[in-house]
Amino acid sequence: MYLFLGGDVVIDSEEVVAVLEGESIARSSAVRQFMKAAARDKKVVDLSDGNAKAVVVTTKLIYLCPVAPPTICGRCSGSPDFGEDGTA
């Protein structure tokens, strides 16, 4: 199944490893280090114009997306139901 991330980007949902909140970049030093390394390797694609609501980690690239994680997960078949706080 394909997953629409925003803009004109559609990926194979089987490639998705993780969907994180965009705020996790600022809150977690481990995520910041991971993102810096990926950016250094030119593996980060910013679809959000600097306002990422979600970080989608795939087997090939990392996408900064303008839509929230529950929306992205809702676009995948068999995705978990999310509570009001956005957690599964």
Side-chain angles (χ1 to χ4, degrees):
M1 173 172 225
Y2 294 99
L3 177 61
F4 173 68
L5 296 180
D8 60 354
V9 176
V10 177
I11 63 170
D12 184 342
S13 62
E14 302 247 339
E15 294 179 0
V16 176
V17 175
V19 179
L20 309 170
E21 290 185 27
E23 295 173 357
S24 67
I25 298 170
R27 287 187 283 166
S28 169
S29 62
V31 173
R32 277 195 306 275
Q33 289 176 341
F34 176 71
M35 294 298 295
K36 282 182 186 179
R40 214 176 18 250
D41 295 339
K42 299 186 183 333
K43 294 191 176 204
V44 177
V45 178
D46 189 354
L47 306 171
S48 70
D49 292 327
N51 188 24
K53 292 183 182 176
V55 178
V56 178
V57 180
T58 71
T59 56
K60 298 176 184 173
L61 296 169
I62 299 170
Y63 297 90
L64 304 178
C65 301
V67 294
T71 303
I72 292 171
C73 290
R75 293 175 181 174
C76 293
S77 67
S79 65
D81 292 328
F82 285 85
E84 291 180 20
D85 62 353
T87 59

